[in-house]
């Protein structure tokens, strides 16, 4: 189990979280902590998803045809 480490928070012990991502989301939303989200994550096949901001301009828009 994952327990909140913020002083006086009741989400400890049996009232903790079974998933780390739920604890992280609790710390962000309930306590207002600034915890950055990861920009790259793996999909179900284990391949990293691309961040659209990292796509070169030459590959954006109607001109790009991935089947050429």
């Amino acid at each position: 189990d994952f327990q909140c480490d913020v002083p006086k928070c009741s989400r400890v012990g049996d009232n903790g979280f079974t998933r780390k991502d739920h604890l992280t989301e609790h710390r962000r939303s309930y306590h207002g902590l600034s915890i950055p989200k990861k920009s790259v994550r793996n999909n179900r096949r284990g391949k990293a998803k691309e961040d659209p901001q990292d796509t070169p301009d030459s590959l954006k828009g109607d001109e790009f045809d991935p089947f050429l």
Side-chain angles (χ1 to χ4, degrees), residues 55-66:
T55 304
D57 288 338
S58 62
L59 300 179
K60 294 179 181 176
D62 296 333
E63 301 85 30
F64 179 68
D65 186 350

Side-chain angles (χ1 to χ4, degrees), residues 17-67:
F17 297 89
T18 57
R19 291 175 36 172
K20 187 176 181 180
D21 60 321
H22 288 178
L23 168 61
T24 302
E25 204 51 44
H26 161 80
R27 293 175 72 209
R28 277 189 195 117
S29 62
Y30 189 79
H31 297 296
L33 299 179
S34 178
I35 302 171
K37 293 187 176 189
K38 295 183 181 190
S39 61
V40 176
R41 63 182 186 166
N42 289 338
N43 64 18
R44 290 184 181 172
R45 294 186 181 154
K47 296 180 182 178
K49 289 187 175 183
E50 292 185 29
D51 185 343
Q53 296 176 351
D54 294 337
T55 304
D57 288 338
S58 62
L59 300 179
K60 294 179 181 176
D62 296 333
E63 301 85 30
F64 179 68
D65 186 350
F67 299 105

